[in-house]
Amino acid sequence: MNPVEIAAWWPQIAATALLGALLVLDDTAYAQTWLSQPVCGGVLAGLVWGHPGAGLALGLTVQLLSLGNLPVGQAFVGERVGPLLGAVGAASAAGWNPGLPFGGPGAEAGRLGWLLLAVALGSCLGDRLVRWERVWHTRLVAGAMRGLREGRLEVLERAHRSSLAGVAIRGALTTLAVWGLVALLWIPAFSRLPDRVVAALALLPWFAPAVAIGSLVELYGSRAGARWIAGGAAGTLALAWTLARLGAS
Amino acid sequence: MSARGGRPDDLHGIYRRSLGLQGSWNPERMQNLGLAVALLPWLRRSGAAPAEARRFCRRHLEFFNTNPYCANLLLGGLVRLEAENLRDGATPVRTLTMFKDSLGRALASLGDQFLWLGLQPALMLLAVLSAWPGLVWPPLLVVGLFAVTQLLLRRRALLVGYDLGLDIVDLLGSPRWHRAIWTAKRAGALLTGVLAGMTVVSSWSRLGDPGGTTTVLGTALAMAAALFLRRRWPGEGLLLALVPLALLLSCL
């Protein structure tokens, strides 16, 4: 992708950065409607680029990976929104359409795995960024408390607004940075990967439901919970078997 | 200061700000600044003297943490008690602080059990399963419905909290909380079973394809790794750790 091609995409890039700012705010700072969850965020980014299917493929896979990441206490937060939006935008700009997850074999699945790897790396690195941001919030609060001694109530509002603005700016910048890295380095590098590595990447989307099931079985896996899990699995398999029999006859 | 039914006019301003309770979350005092800022519209219109306003802010800038979805019940009650305290000193400051701390902890526990450990995994599983055949709109619909409902419920919680004041504590004893937690967790468990069934069906249908056996084997090994390592690993980290397994399997 050359600078002229990038310039042609500027309305979509700007809209994705804005979406990144809004969804990162929604993720941890304001309203928390869960529209920032990967499956929705991916689709929304895909809609911005005219490829909602690509957004769904990546968003759904990332959602499965993160189903067990519970935001309780000071646990791992990750920073999935920016990397996911950036990766969906870059893939759409490059004409990559990973298609349905767990469907297509070969290069399409390999591309989805390659993008998934970028988002997972981005999320792990972004977690550090979120922790720094929260330390910065501590400093803002301390500054506001000093200002309060002089009787100025508005210093509290200013500190809170700065925090919210910081979160939104982080979301926009992370989205832009990931878009640039994925569009200019990550996607071009895919064509140089050996076939064996592409085959390994094609397996990664399949690991996502496995990771989700493993984490959720651990979450719900008491004796009573296990019965419900087994019931859900048995019911689904019975339904699939019945539908297959009906289709065959 | 008061409007219909004795509720203050500024509850709408408090509601808008309460949505940003976690906006300045910090590791030392957590949601303290979010709470203080949410209560400022009421403080400004209360006519409190500057010294009293400073004491009010200092009180609410202490450590505070609760579940953001349940917080409005507490915020409504807090406004009511602060108003009573300012009017005739009916609620001592010590009672106010104890109310905030103990109710905050109780709502954090109930809210985390219901929302983070019950409803969120269940709802997101439903969104994922509804999108499984490649449908784009169902997940947006499922989550959009939740978004609107929770925003309306948070507004209602603020009004209920204001009306009940100290009596909010009685609400916490209701068996409805535990029934809701039980239902959300069982729904999550059932949908986990459905996801497992659909994964088996999807991988089974690939058995005839080239590399299909490797896919099934990889899925089973990844699930075993997730079961074994889960508590210590976030999903993204686990995927990165499973890359060598994928490379190994691709050599088979």
Side-chain angles (χ1 to χ4, degrees), chain A residues 30-32 34 69 123 157, chain B residues 16-17 44 69 154 236:
Chain A
Y30 197 84
Q32 294 177 287
W34 298 352
N69 297 358
S123 180
E157 284 161 324
Chain B
R16 247 183 320 108
R17 289 172 179 227
R44 287 221 169 87
Y69 298 95
R154 280 161 88 170
E236 295 92 324

Side-chain angles (χ1 to χ4, degrees), chain A residues 4 23-25 36 46 59 61 63 76 83 99 112-113 123 140 152-153 181 184 196-197 213 234:
Chain A
V4 179
L23 293 188
V24 163
L25 271 175
S36 52
T61 324
Q63 183 72 62
F76 173 88
L112 182 59
S123 180
L140 282 177
R152 292 179 290 135
L153 295 183
L181 285 171
L184 300 174
R196 190 144 285 173
V197 174
I213 294 163

